[in-house]
Amino acid sequence: MVSLKKFLKVGKNYIDYIMKLGFSELLVNFIELIILVAISLLVMFPVSAVKVILYSFVSLFTKTNQTVYLIYNIVFLIINAVISLALFIYMFNKRYEDIESIRNRKRETKIEVKDVKNGVRKIELEDESMELPKPAQKKRF
């Protein structure tokens, strides 16, 4: 399911990519990572629901003491951490496994700046084939 070897390779490529970015692009990538972490931590809610239901069911039939409850909490915290980490690794691998295409996409959309003879800088955007809306025609009755 989750390949730790692939994660280490993708992580190394991602760090190499991050080191070459400007501040604004770095901020965007940082926000993407924060979102990935937040999504992977959403797994805690269903696991906590199972934890509460299971403990209520077990305590219904038996009398448990404080030590058993502490061990029970530790076990579910470990389960939460492992599932969240596995989900983060999976999503990180899916998002950044082809970092070269992300790099190339960023290069293609860059703005070209050319100097003109009179010292004014001219900015040329790449020509994108986009259809603009047509002006409305006036209808005569």
Side-chain angles (χ1 to χ4, degrees), residues 44 47-48 51 55 65-83:
M44 291 179 136
V47 173
S48 295
K51 172 183 155 184
Y55 184 74
N65 58 8
Q66 190 69 19
T67 308
V68 173
Y69 185 69
L70 288 175
I71 293 171
Y72 181 77
N73 277 338
I74 291 171
V75 167
F76 269 95
L77 283 174
I78 291 171
I79 290 171
N80 263 336
V82 168
I83 292 175

Side-chain angles (χ1 to χ4, degrees), residues 16-33:
D16 291 341
Y17 169 69
I18 287 289
M19 291 301 177
K20 298 175 185 173
L21 293 179
F23 183 73
S24 62
E25 294 157 345
L26 186 64
L27 181 65
V28 169
N29 281 292
F30 177 72
I31 291 172
E32 283 180 1
L33 275 179

Side-chain angles (χ1 to χ4, degrees), residues 34-104:
I34 295 296
I35 291 172
L36 283 178
V37 168
I39 291 172
S40 67
L41 289 178
L42 287 176
V43 170
M44 291 179 136
F45 295 117
V47 173
S48 295
V50 169
K51 172 183 155 184
V52 170
I53 291 171
L54 188 62
Y55 184 74
S56 299
F57 188 71
V58 168
S59 66
L60 182 67
F61 295 111
T62 62
K63 244 188 169 175
T64 57
N65 58 8
Q66 190 69 19
T67 308
V68 173
Y69 185 69
L70 288 175
I71 293 171
Y72 181 77
N73 277 338
I74 291 171
V75 167
F76 269 95
L77 283 174
I78 291 171
I79 290 171
N80 263 336
V82 168
I83 292 175
S84 296
L85 184 64
L87 184 62
F88 174 76
I89 289 173
Y90 175 76
M91 288 189 308
F92 187 85
N93 285 344
K94 285 294 183 186
R95 173 74 176 110
Y96 296 111
E97 71 183 342
D98 195 15
I99 199 78
E100 293 299 323
S101 68
I102 295 172
R103 237 184 249 168
N104 292 337

Side-chain angles (χ1 to χ4, degrees), residues 104-118:
N104 292 337
R105 198 172 346 130
K106 296 278 185 187
R107 287 184 195 146
E108 289 174 0
T109 58
K110 284 189 179 176
I111 298 172
E112 294 182 18
V113 178
K114 295 185 177 182
D115 290 331
V116 182
K117 291 180 182 177
N118 59 4

Side-chain angles (χ1 to χ4, degrees), residues 128-141:
E128 295 182 9
S129 58
M130 180 188 324
E131 292 185 25
L132 297 174
K134 296 177 182 174
Q137 296 178 355
K138 293 183 180 179
K139 294 181 180 180
R140 296 186 183 192
F141 295 100

